[in-house]
Amino acid sequence: SDVLFPALSPVVSSDWLSRYALPRGFVVARIEQFEFLPDGRTLVFSIVLETSAGSRAQVFGLSRADTVDAPGVLGAPQAISNTYEPPQIAGFFDMSSMLIVDFASVTAPWSVVDLRSGVRSALAQSIPPDAEARHVGPLGVVFATRVDAALDWQRVPRAAGQGTVPLGTWQSAALAPNGSALAVLASDGGRQSVALVDTASGVEQL
């Protein structure tokens, strides 16, 4: 019934995907991932396209959540690997730029996408390929890398010319939702305490 299964108005429909894909020589188009921008009103989505020969490409689009079949497309489709998953949205620095990770790239898996033009550029500071981005925001990327039974935490600034900020290696840690602080469990001679590490400066405070 319409009560249990209401008729939903699509933000982006399969008809729109077909109208976009077919004139460009693609026979398959599907949305692989979608995320809200920080305003909570705009969706960014990843479209994966396939040709009849099996080659694949990807393009990102944006759409207001209260519109129907009126998205904007960020640039032209870019060829992607047939073996790996397509580049994934890792988060947003602000309303005009997002971080993506491409596991098919060995040398530069992390890049920044300009949400006004679709242009992709390398992140100003490198992030290890095996790192996990835990928060993306105006200050940059807070990421964690596995070291034995612990996680090594660092922040990479968004702006060029600034160095990586070490946040420590911890077995137990929790990142604030806004990425501003890292709560860590510190041990000293059998005594335990919870401390806060400021992610902007890397300074630990009890």
Side-chain angles (χ1 to χ4, degrees):
S1 71
D2 286 343
V3 175
L4 292 178
F5 304 103
L8 301 177
S9 297
V11 176
V12 180
S13 70
S14 58
D15 288 340
W16 183 91
L17 290 172
S18 295
R19 291 197 301 271
Y20 175 82
L22 293 177
R24 293 166 175 81
F26 298 100
V27 296
V28 174
R30 62 180 181 275
I31 295 177
E32 286 280 330
Q33 184 186 10
F34 51 92
E35 303 287 349
F36 273 106
L37 276 173
D39 67 355
R41 299 190 297 271
T42 307
L43 284 165
V44 178
F45 52 93
S46 161
I47 303 173
V48 173
L49 307 151
E50 295 183 18
T51 67
S52 57
S55 60
R56 300 198 307 168
Q58 180 191 46
V59 69
F60 290 102
L62 293 94
S63 178
R64 291 272 302 185
D66 56 358
T67 63
V68 177
D69 279 352
V73 177
L74 302 177
Q78 298 193 18
I80 59 173
S81 167
N82 284 2
T83 304
Y84 293 87
E85 291 294 316
Q88 299 290 303
I89 300 169
F92 303 95
F93 294 104
D94 47 39
M95 288 292 294
S96 62
S97 58
M98 72 176 175
L99 179 70
I100 64 172
V101 56
D102 182 3
F103 294 109
S105 173
V106 177
T107 56
W110 302 89
S111 57
V112 180
V113 179
D114 188 312
L115 296 177
R116 296 159 296 191
S117 64
V119 173
R120 303 184 188 189
S121 58
L123 193 62
Q125 304 285 338
S126 62
I127 296 179
D130 58 344
E132 180 182 350
R134 295 298 186 92
H135 185 269
V136 183
L139 287 178
V141 184
V142 177
F143 68 90
T145 307
R146 176 68 58 182
V147 179
D148 297 326
L151 290 175
D152 179 55
W153 293 80
Q154 301 182 59
R155 180 179 66 82
V156 169
R158 172 71 178 91
Q162 301 178 17
T164 299
V165 179
L167 305 175
T169 301
W170 310 96
Q171 289 190 336
S172 297
L175 186 64
N178 65 358
S180 64
L182 185 69
V184 301
L185 183 63
S187 299
D188 182 14
R191 301 176 60 187
Q192 291 184 326
S193 62
V194 175
L196 292 180
V197 179
D198 178 68
T199 57
S201 63
V203 174
E204 180 182 338
Q205 298 175 337
L206 292 179

